[in-house]
């Protein structure tokens, strides 16, 4: 290929050779009227899974029959209409699996099995043996066409490489006709990204002329990014250029088969679809040679989040993950898009607060459109839950802690209590340096505000009656434990809480007054518990108390005791 020149790097760093002296930049495409940048993906492509071929050949321990069969069943259940089941001429294992799929795979109508074969006569013959009895199978034949491989691997010119492709096309179409028809055909100029566009065009047109595709039986022309060598926009340019220049385009299905050497396989595929491609070959979660094949699940769910039906069932992403990891004996990273263990969690306090508020706003709006900050997809759409959206560590904030307590335990903490308790949690996570599960956060909440082990005061009972001396005021008589000893206290106020605060303040010898109070039910039903939150001001500041009781009045008085215990502790300390 003709290479554009670039200025060499000013200097090498850390022992690396000067970039411009060792690597040539990839050529751009002269396509001034390109249209793909203004297009959007409006429908799903034809998907073809190559997990059982490209994915399998890239494994340290290739799949045996059981692992292949489990993957095959998942692909059918997801709705793939084309599945490459192997390279039957390459090994007896692949041959036997192809026969199993045809004879025992329960392949539904409308699903085409695809097999891969090099453009070699003996391999083609063996491939047709493997396909006997299959309905509309796809014979995918290929040969490498790149300038580098022509020069250093095959030592052939363009005419010689084209002859390999056309001879194979002639043999395959003849054998298909003798077998009674019903076959479909796919040709790949392998290493398309390393092939001059004019050469790729010449060879593809020559193959199509032999296959003679029709509207009823189109030829799949697969234009693979066998090695990702350029930025995604250049790949898109190449796809659009081919679509514009191929003969008989209306009877061709242009297929993409991107790899991920530069880490932009997803982008290359999406731009390639905008550039006119009709079909995508890839693997479920991107397993493949080197850095992998393109990730079909990510592509499909990217489309889904843009309002496009991906035509694949991804509603049970946990099952997809389990089968992938079982069959490939690989582990999906925690941050893998859509499926990773942590992709629906938030550790940052600001993220947690935004998610918490977004969830509440979404529930209130009752709109069909999903709009929650930091969550581009509703986890429930792929079979995940909200339970682990927020996890608490030293980077967490009040919003995340509040969400965990609300979602898992039904506690709707007032804002000031969120701020106060978040400082307590922060101190623990800073000291321990690790994440706190929601159960630990709840335990710490109860320990600080409700159970208060070793606390001085404990509420037992109370009664109230009108104050005979002052109209509109009430007297409260309460029984409490003070250091384990039962005592009676009396107070006067406008209501039970005010009266009890007066009684307890005089008994403990501290100043305190109520700043704010709120309450709610913890669960439905006649035996529902009530929880009371009470913000108290005292001599050196303000703090919260919390009470939980089946009786709302008792819950509020327990909240007063909770605050008093914390004030006494603060005063003593």
């Amino acid at each position: 290929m003709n290479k554009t020149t670039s200025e060499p790097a000013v200097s090498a760093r850390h022992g690396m050779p000067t970039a411009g002296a060792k690597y040539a930049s990839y050529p751009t495409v002269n396509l001034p009227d390109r249209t793909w940048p203004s297009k959007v993906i409006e429908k799903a492509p034809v998907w073809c899974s190559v997990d059982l071929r490209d994915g399998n050949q890239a494994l340290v321990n290739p799949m045996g029959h059981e692992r292949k069969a489990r993957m095959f069943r998942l692909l059918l259940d997801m709705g793939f209409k084309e599945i490459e089941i192997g390279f039957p001429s390459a090994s007896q294992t692949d041959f036997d699996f192809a026969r199993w799929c045809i004879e025992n795979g329960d392949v539904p109508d409308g699903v085409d099995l695809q097999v891969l074969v090099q453009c070699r006569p003996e391999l083609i013959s063996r491939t047709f043996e493997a396909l006997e009895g299959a309905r509309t199978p796809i014979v995918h034949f290929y040969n490498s066409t790149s300038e580098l491989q022509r020069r250093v691997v095959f030592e052939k010119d363009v005419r010689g490489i084209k002859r390999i492709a056309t001879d194979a096309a002639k043999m395959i179409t003849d054998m298909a006709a003798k077998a009674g028809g019903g076959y479909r055909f796919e040709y790949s100029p392998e290493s398309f990204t390393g092939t001059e566009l004019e050469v790729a065009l010449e060879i593809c047109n020559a193959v199509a002329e032999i296959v003679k595709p029709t509207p009823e039986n189109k030829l799949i022309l697969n234009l693979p990014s066998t090695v990702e060598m350029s930025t995604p926009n250049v790949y898109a340019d190449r796809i659009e250029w081919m679509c514009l220049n191929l003969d008989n385009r209306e009877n061709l299905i242009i297929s993409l088969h991107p790899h991920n050497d530069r880490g932009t396989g997803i982008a290359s595929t999406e731009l390639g679809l905008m550039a006119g491609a009709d079909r995508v070959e890839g693997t479920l979660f991107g397993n493949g040679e080197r850095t992998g094949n393109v990730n079909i699940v990510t592509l499909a769910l990217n489309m889904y989040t843009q309002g496009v039906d991906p035509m694949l069932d991804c509603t049970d992403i946990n099952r997809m993950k389990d089968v992938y990891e079982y069959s490939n004996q690989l582990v999906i990273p925690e941050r893998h898009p859509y499926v990773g263990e942590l992709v629906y969690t938030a550790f940052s306090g600001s993220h947690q607060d935004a998610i918490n508020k977004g969830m509440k706003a979404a529930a209130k709006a009752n709109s069909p459109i999903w709009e929650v900050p930091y969550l581009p997809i509703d986890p429930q759409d792929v079979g995940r839950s909200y339970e682990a959206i927020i996890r608490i560590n030293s980077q967490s904030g009040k919003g995340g802690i509040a969400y965990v307590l609300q979602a898992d335990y039904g506690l709707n903490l007032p804002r000031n209590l969120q701020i106060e308790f978040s400082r307590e949690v922060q101190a623990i996570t800073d000291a321990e340096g690790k994440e706190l599960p929601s159960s630990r956060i709840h335990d710490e909440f109860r320990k600080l505000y409700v159970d208060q082990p070793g606390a001085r005061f404990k509420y037992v009972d109370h009664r109230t009656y009108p104050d005979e001396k002052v109209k509109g005021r009430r007297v409260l008589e309460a029984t409490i434990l003070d250091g384990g000893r039962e005592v009676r206290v009396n107070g006067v106020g406008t209501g039970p809480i005010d009266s009890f605060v007066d009684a307890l303040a005089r008994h403990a010898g501290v100043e305190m007054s109520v700043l704010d109070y709120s309450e709610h039910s913890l669960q439905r039903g006649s035996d529902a518990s009530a929880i009371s939150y009470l913000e108290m001001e005292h001599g050196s500041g303000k703090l919260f108390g919390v009470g939980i009781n089946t009786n709302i009045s008792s819950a509020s008085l327990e909240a007063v005791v909770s605050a008093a215990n914390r004030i006494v502790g603060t005063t003593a300390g």
Side-chain angles (χ1 to χ4, degrees):
M1 299 179 71
N2 295 324
K3 301 287 186 178
T4 60
T5 59
S6 61
E7 290 295 323
V10 174
S11 63
R13 297 183 180 180
H14 307 297
M16 292 180 67
T18 302
K22 187 167 185 177
Y23 298 97
S25 62
Y26 192 85
T28 58
V29 180
N30 182 22
L31 194 65
D33 297 325
R34 60 180 59 83
T35 63
W36 64 261
S38 61
K39 293 185 178 179
V40 296
I41 298 172
E42 297 179 334
K43 66 176 183 177
V46 176
W47 301 108
C48 178
S49 161
V50 294
D51 288 88
L52 296 167
R53 165 52 195 172
D54 276 36
N56 188 46
Q57 77 167 4
L59 298 176
V60 175
N61 298 306
M63 303 180 210
H65 177 81
E66 176 55 33
R67 287 158 59 196
K68 280 187 176 181
R70 189 166 170 185
M71 174 65 77
F72 182 66
R73 178 52 51 193
L74 172 65
L75 298 172
L76 290 176
D77 290 346
M78 287 178 64
F80 279 92
K81 300 304 181 186
E82 297 179 5
I83 301 173
E84 190 164 274
I85 56 176
F87 198 143
S89 63
S91 71
Q92 189 63 43
T93 300
D94 270 21
F95 185 95
D96 291 343
F97 186 72
R99 295 307 309 156
W100 178 86
C101 290
I102 294 166
E103 296 171 356
N104 307 106
D106 297 323
V107 180
D109 292 340
V111 174
D112 294 342
L113 303 180
Q114 177 172 302
V115 293
L116 188 67
V117 62
Q118 289 175 317
C119 293
R120 292 167 52 185
E122 69 279 12
L123 302 183
I124 293 170
S125 296
R126 179 67 167 163
T127 298
F128 273 85
E129 292 177 28
L131 290 175
E132 185 177 344
R135 297 190 306 267
T136 60
I138 302 171
V139 180
H140 179 188
F141 60 105
Y142 73 96
N143 66 309
S144 186
T145 60
S146 72
E147 186 278 330
L148 180 61
Q149 293 212 39
R150 295 197 311 263
R151 174 163 43 88
V152 304
V153 178
F154 300 104
E155 297 182 345
K156 289 182 180 292
D157 58 13
V158 172
R159 184 169 58 179
I161 294 295
K162 182 170 72 172
R163 179 70 180 269
I164 293 173
T166 53
D167 284 353
K170 182 70 166 61
M171 181 177 181
I172 287 169
T173 52
D174 286 348
M175 292 190 71
K178 290 178 182 176
Y183 286 79
R184 299 178 61 201
F185 308 106
E186 175 178 353
Y187 172 68
S188 289
E190 200 226 347
S191 300
F192 168 73
T193 46
T195 305
E196 308 93 316
L197 281 172
E198 293 78 5
V199 172
L201 180 69
E202 179 183 346
I203 296 174
C204 288
N205 278 336
V207 168
E209 189 175 345
I210 292 169
V211 174
K212 293 181 172 53
T214 66
E216 295 74 29
N217 191 2
K218 296 183 179 183
L219 169 65
I220 301 169
L221 277 182
N222 192 47
L223 304 176
S225 178
T226 308
V227 178
E228 192 176 33
M229 302 169 72
S230 71
T231 51
N233 62 299
V234 176
Y235 183 61
D237 279 349
R238 292 174 64 86
I239 298 302
E240 183 164 341
W241 190 94
M242 290 291 287
C243 288
L244 289 171
N245 289 281
L246 281 163
D247 296 338
N248 201 15
R249 171 65 180 95
E250 66 276 10
N251 291 327
L252 302 176
I253 295 171
I254 303 303
S255 177
L256 308 176
H257 183 115
H259 281 250
N260 198 43
D261 300 87
R262 292 170 55 92
T264 58
I266 294 288
S268 293
T269 306
E270 291 178 333
L271 299 190
L273 289 172
M274 296 175 196
D278 312 296
R279 180 179 185 268
V280 173
E281 293 187 345
T283 58
L284 286 188
F285 295 109
N287 175 46
E289 294 282 15
R290 304 178 309 281
T291 58
N293 285 54
V294 76
N295 184 319
I296 285 182
V297 176
T298 299
L299 281 167
L301 291 176
N302 283 355
M303 293 179 192
Y304 181 69
T305 64
Q306 299 302 303
V308 176
D309 185 349
M311 305 301 290
L312 289 176
D313 185 355
C314 298
T315 55
D316 191 354
I317 207 165
N318 286 334
R319 179 199 172 197
M320 294 155 59
K321 177 178 184 288
D322 290 345
V323 172
Y324 173 91
E325 293 186 336
Y326 166 77
S327 295
N328 292 319
Q329 297 183 358
L330 297 173
V331 176
I332 293 177
E334 292 175 333
R335 295 294 182 186
H336 191 292
Y338 300 111
V339 68
E341 181 184 348
L342 298 180
V343 297
Y344 304 112
T345 69
F347 290 95
S348 162
S350 61
H351 288 208
Q352 293 165 354
D353 185 56
I355 291 172
N356 186 15
K357 291 174 179 174
M359 292 288 212
K360 291 179 179 178
K364 184 177 180 181
N366 196 28
S367 168
I369 302 300
W370 175 257
E371 288 183 309
V372 174
Y374 302 112
L375 290 177
I377 190 173
D378 182 346
Q380 289 189 335
D381 290 346
V382 292
R384 296 284 286 267
S385 72
Y386 298 134
E387 294 176 5
I389 285 179
I390 292 177
R391 293 163 63 165
I392 307 303
N393 65 10
S394 62
Q395 303 303 305
S396 304
K398 64 179 181 356
I401 294 165
Y403 181 86
V404 166
L405 291 176
Q406 194 281 326
D408 293 352
Y409 300 99
L411 306 180
N412 297 316
L413 273 58
R415 177 177 172 78
N416 286 344
L417 179 53
Q418 294 176 26
I419 295 170
E420 179 182 290
F421 184 54
S422 69
R423 291 194 289 264
E424 303 291 336
V425 175
Q426 181 81 34
I428 295 170
T429 55
D430 281 343
E432 298 184 5
K434 60 184 180 182
E435 175 191 342
L436 295 187
S438 65
S439 59
R440 173 76 185 281
I441 295 167
H442 184 243
D443 288 346
E444 294 294 337
F445 180 84
R446 288 195 62 98
K447 179 180 175 183
L448 181 63
Y449 295 105
V450 182
D451 301 326
Q452 297 183 311
R456 176 178 168 182
F457 301 122
K458 183 175 179 62
Y459 167 80
V460 177
D461 200 0
H462 80 282
R463 73 184 186 93
T464 66
Y465 51 87
D467 185 350
E468 296 178 354
K469 299 177 181 179
V470 182
K471 185 178 180 180
R473 294 174 65 85
R474 297 189 68 82
V475 177
L476 177 140
E477 294 179 356
T479 302
I480 64 170
L481 298 181
D482 184 346
R485 182 175 59 91
E486 186 173 291
V487 298
R488 291 182 181 276
V489 296
N490 300 308
V492 179
T494 57
I497 296 175
D498 190 35
S499 301
F500 191 45
V501 169
D502 175 60
L504 205 54
R506 286 190 287 108
H507 175 76
V510 297
E511 293 183 7
M512 54 185 189
S513 60
V514 176
L515 288 176
D516 193 27
Y517 173 81
S518 61
E519 63 189 39
H520 64 81
S521 176
L522 278 178
Q523 65 261 350
R524 298 183 179 90
S526 58
D527 60 346
S529 292
I531 183 167
S532 297
Y533 309 102
L534 184 142
E535 187 175 17
M536 191 85 78
E537 186 173 29
H538 59 99
S540 57
K542 48 190 176 181
L543 48 70
F544 272 85
V546 178
I548 299 177
N549 198 293
T550 54
N551 180 283
I552 186 60
S553 295
S554 296
S556 63
L557 300 190
E558 287 183 0
V560 174
V561 169
S562 168
N565 279 325
R566 299 187 65 220
I567 291 170
V568 169
T570 301
T571 304

